[in-house]
Amino acid sequence: MRDQKEVGGNLQSVRRALRALELISEHGELGVTELGRKLEVHKATASRLIATLAERNFVERDPISEKYRLGFGLISLAGAAVGGNDLVRAARPILDDLAERTRETVNLGVLSGESVVYVDQVTGTRSIVSVSWVGQRTPLHCTSNGKVLLAYATDAERDRLLRVPLPRLTPRTITDVKKLRTQLSEIRVRGFSQTMEELEEGLNAVAAPVKGMGGDLVAALSVSGPAFRMRAVDLPRLGKLTADAALAVSRRLGYVDRGARAV
Amino acid sequence: MRDQKEVGGNLQSVRRALRALELISEHGELGVTELGRKLEVHKATASRLIATLAERNFVERDPISEKYRLGFGLISLAGAAVGGNDLVRAARPILDDLAERTRETVNLGVLSGESVVYVDQVTGTRSIVSVSWVGQRTPLHCTSNGKVLLAYATDAERDRLLRVPLPRLTPRTITDVKKLRTQLSEIRVRGFSQTMEELEEGLNAVAAPVKGMGGDLVAALSVSGPAFRMRAVDLPRLGKLTADAALAVSRRLGYVDRGARAV
DNA sequence: CCGACACGGTGCGCGTGATGCAACACGTCT
DNA sequence: AGACGTGTTGCATCACGCGCACCGTGTCGG
């Protein structure tokens, strides 16, 4: 039945539980019946599942809407996930520095499934913004981080990721795979990517790859800001800064830049 | 068999999966065999479980140690959990303000299981500190947040939480339940808690309760800093500020301070 | 006031799917 | 080589999670 090889554990109920968490995450909050429908199981099953999740505080019940949302148990885990993560620890000081220099928002993203997940963020403006992108998912083809992750992925991985259609989010979103592939080659030459109002109108960004010990792609580091502050003429300079910062992070992770590796 | 009533869902495998995530969180990283032992299941079961978790990127394999650690899928969820959380949203501006006034670190913690989990943090010093406490767990009896959570918990809850022995972390940690209970009464009168080098030497803190619509305890808000800056004579002033801030958060959550409720 | 409809939660048999066992493959010491 | 450590995979058994039905609750609208 499974067309995709896609090996892995086969614990149905566990898989369902994880699926449920993701669904709740997507929708903000869900009721038992609604969850049951989305999981394609009987509501009784959904009820018991959610009760189990609630038991460990992975989800909690909103007292007013009576629906379930993600709970603190999850936050506790994720804190450990982020905190115990070499990448975030290594990158933080450099992110701070880059944000300081550019006065724009700096994001660190990794590839997860078929999208970018931001694992850390530092804002350039001193006023701490309430809303963080950390944990957010964005598409690959229209974000600077995503393009970097695509550009430096293995060929097989890139082919897999580009098999799906590229949704249009703004008039300037690149939806043609061929055009995107051309741009990815350019990115590999230049060393950084850029997006200009492809994800969101008025939002530009540049990004560069973070590599691990073996030269493998680990994450992407981006600087993003409003189009009027990050004009086309500014991007090369910002791109250079970002690439330098990304290289600094890579070095911290044990990456050694072997000689002058052209292209 | 279950002595504790302890109702809730009864999906063993799901429960095991959540347990596994918590264990991995606690230990940083775990191998299959080790996890199997801790879960009291056959290592084959643990292997399949972990494979399922890995499939959704809830855990990932550390390429060097070959062990499993928490993955990005979890970060993605937790980001949503924090972001979609009324408490954090409501509290953030007030946390910022409190940090600004006190120039110290402000933490927001909730009760999770038998410990405090920090769900948000704002640092007083403008330089962003690398290490965040968000997601960390600390014991109840030796942290200011923990004492508040204990003090304002229901009697039954408090009794349950104080049944376990109180580990000593510093020479000044309170390990005597009776003494702690006395202090909890004082906290209820005073409106804020304080710890002086009970969790960590050189670290003092004060905390106050955040209440919800029905006057129920929701979280604890704390200010912490080095003992030389937060001396015993400073604590009443800081405690008052913290209590005011906590009340402001409570009001945002719909709490109404019914008249002068002495004690 | 009482039906109708939604929701969430819970006993209960049935059948599937998760479990433990064993065997395997791989790496690392002595 | 051998012994031990790891993680992964077929396989047969049986416990456990599943759907069904039922119940309690809240909220419509007549």
Side-chain angles (χ1 to χ4, degrees):
Chain A
M1 190 52 65
R2 70 190 64 132
D3 45 334
Q4 273 295 110
K5 193 79 161 294
E6 196 75 63
V7 288
N10 264 356
L11 306 220
Q12 285 212 356
S13 60
V14 172
R15 184 178 295 176
R16 257 210 280 272
L18 305 186
R19 190 91 238 288
L21 288 173
E22 288 175 357
L23 283 171
I24 295 173
S25 164
E26 269 178 46
H27 291 77
E29 51 180 39
L30 281 180
V32 168
T33 310
E34 207 171 349
L35 180 64
R37 248 197 303 273
K38 289 191 191 299
L39 286 177
E40 293 173 353
V41 294
H42 198 273
K43 60 175 181 167
T45 305
S47 172
R48 281 183 282 249
L49 171 56
I50 244 178
T52 306
L53 293 173
E55 197 184 16
R56 292 249 175 227
N57 291 114
F58 277 62
V59 300
E60 63 190 7
R61 198 166 194 168
D62 186 328
I64 49 174
S65 73
E66 295 273 309
K67 288 174 182 294
Y68 288 88
R69 52 166 57 169
L70 298 179
F72 292 114
L74 212 43
I75 298 179
S76 145
L77 286 182
V82 176
N85 194 291
D86 297 336
L87 171 63
V88 174
R89 266 210 303 271
R92 202 26 117 79
I94 294 163
L95 265 57
D96 284 343
D97 183 58
L98 185 59
E100 176 77 23
R101 285 169 188 269
T102 60
R103 313 295 280 170
E104 300 293 355
T105 301
V106 176
N107 270 300
L108 188 66
V110 299
L111 184 62
S112 169
E114 294 158 2
S115 46
V116 187
V117 172
Y118 296 100
V119 294
D120 204 7
Q121 177 184 59
V122 176
T123 57
T125 62
R126 290 317 194 87
S127 74
I128 303 159
V129 289
S130 312
V131 50
S132 164
W133 283 38
V134 176
Q136 295 295 319
R137 283 172 183 275
T138 54
L140 289 168
H141 70 291
C142 57
T143 57
S144 57
N145 276 315
K147 284 187 191 175
V148 164
L149 294 173
L150 280 173
Y152 291 86
T154 61
D155 292 347
E157 183 79 352
R158 181 166 45 245
D159 290 344
R160 184 178 71 80
L161 293 169
L162 291 179
R163 257 209 305 270
V164 297
L166 310 178
R168 171 174 300 284
L169 297 183
T170 75
R172 303 187 63 171
T173 305
I174 300 172
T175 55
D176 178 37
V177 176
K178 203 150 186 179
K179 199 171 162 194
L180 183 57
R181 280 186 183 274
T182 309
Q183 215 179 82
L184 296 181
S185 313
E186 292 168 13
I187 291 167
R188 280 190 294 271
V189 176
R190 200 195 308 139
F192 63 89
S193 71
Q194 46 184 265
T195 52
M196 299 187 62
E197 315 195 45
E198 294 162 35
L199 171 67
E200 201 175 291
E201 295 201 51
L203 184 70
N204 290 353
V206 293
V210 173
K211 297 173 183 175
M213 298 186 61
D216 52 309
L217 180 68
V218 172
L221 181 55
S222 73
V223 172
S224 59
F228 65 85
R229 255 189 289 162
M230 289 182 63
R231 295 160 303 172
V233 294
D234 300 321
L235 297 190
R237 182 180 55 85
L238 290 169
K240 184 69 173 56
L241 281 173
T242 307
D244 288 348
L247 181 58
V249 175
S250 302
R251 289 222 176 91
R252 282 199 167 214
L253 295 175
Y255 171 69
V256 280
D257 194 5
R258 290 189 268 309
R261 22 168 40 199
V263 180
Chain B
M1 189 54 65
R2 69 192 64 132
D3 43 336
Q4 272 296 108
K5 193 78 161 298
E6 196 77 65
V7 289
N10 263 355
L11 306 220
Q12 286 213 356
S13 59
V14 173
R15 185 179 293 175
R16 258 209 278 273
L18 305 186
R19 191 91 238 287
L21 288 174
E22 288 175 358
L23 283 171
I24 296 173
S25 164
E26 270 179 44
H27 291 78
E29 50 181 39
L30 279 180
V32 167
T33 311
E34 207 170 349
L35 179 64
R37 249 197 303 273
K38 289 191 191 299
L39 287 177
E40 292 173 353
V41 295
H42 197 272
K43 60 176 180 167
T45 306
S47 171
R48 282 183 280 248
L49 171 57
I50 245 178
T52 306
L53 293 174
E55 198 185 14
R56 291 248 176 228
N57 290 113
F58 277 62
V59 301
E60 64 191 5
R61 198 167 194 163
D62 185 330
I64 50 174
S65 73
E66 296 274 308
K67 290 174 181 295
Y68 288 88
R69 52 166 58 170
L70 298 180
F72 292 114
L74 211 44
I75 298 181
S76 145
L77 285 183
V82 175
N85 194 291
D86 296 338
L87 171 61
V88 174
R89 265 210 302 270
R92 201 29 116 78
I94 293 163
L95 264 58
D96 284 342
D97 182 59
L98 184 59
E100 176 76 23
R101 285 170 189 269
T102 59
R103 313 293 280 169
E104 301 292 355
T105 301
V106 175
N107 271 300
L108 187 66
V110 299
L111 184 62
S112 168
E114 293 158 2
S115 46
V116 187
V117 172
Y118 296 101
V119 295
D120 203 7
Q121 176 184 58
V122 175
T123 56
T125 63
R126 289 318 193 86
S127 73
I128 302 159
V129 288
S130 315
V131 50
S132 165
W133 283 39
V134 175
Q136 295 294 319
R137 282 172 183 275
T138 53
L140 290 168
H141 70 292
C142 57
T143 57
S144 57
N145 275 316
K147 284 187 189 175
V148 164
L149 294 174
L150 281 173
Y152 290 86
T154 62
D155 292 348
E157 183 78 353
R158 182 166 45 243
D159 290 344
R160 184 179 72 80
L161 293 168
L162 291 178
R163 258 210 305 270
V164 297
L166 311 177
R168 171 173 299 285
L169 297 183
T170 75
R172 303 186 64 170
T173 305
I174 299 172
T175 56
D176 179 37
V177 177
K178 202 148 188 181
K179 198 169 162 195
L180 183 57
R181 280 185 183 274
T182 309
Q183 215 178 84
L184 295 181
S185 313
E186 291 168 13
I187 290 167
R188 281 190 293 271
V189 175
R190 201 194 308 137
F192 64 90
S193 72
Q194 47 183 264
T195 52
M196 299 186 61
E197 314 195 44
E198 293 163 36
L199 170 66
E200 201 175 291
E201 297 202 49
L203 185 70
N204 289 353
V206 293
V210 174
K211 297 173 184 175
M213 297 186 61
D216 52 310
L217 179 68
V218 171
L221 181 55
S222 73
V223 172
S224 59
F228 65 84
R229 256 189 288 163
M230 290 182 61
R231 295 160 302 173
V233 295
D234 300 320
L235 298 190
R237 183 179 55 85
L238 290 168
K240 183 69 172 56
L241 281 173
T242 307
D244 289 347
L247 181 58
V249 176
S250 303
R251 289 221 176 92
R252 282 198 166 214
L253 295 175
Y255 172 68
V256 279
D257 194 5
R258 290 188 269 309
R261 20 161 50 191
V263 182

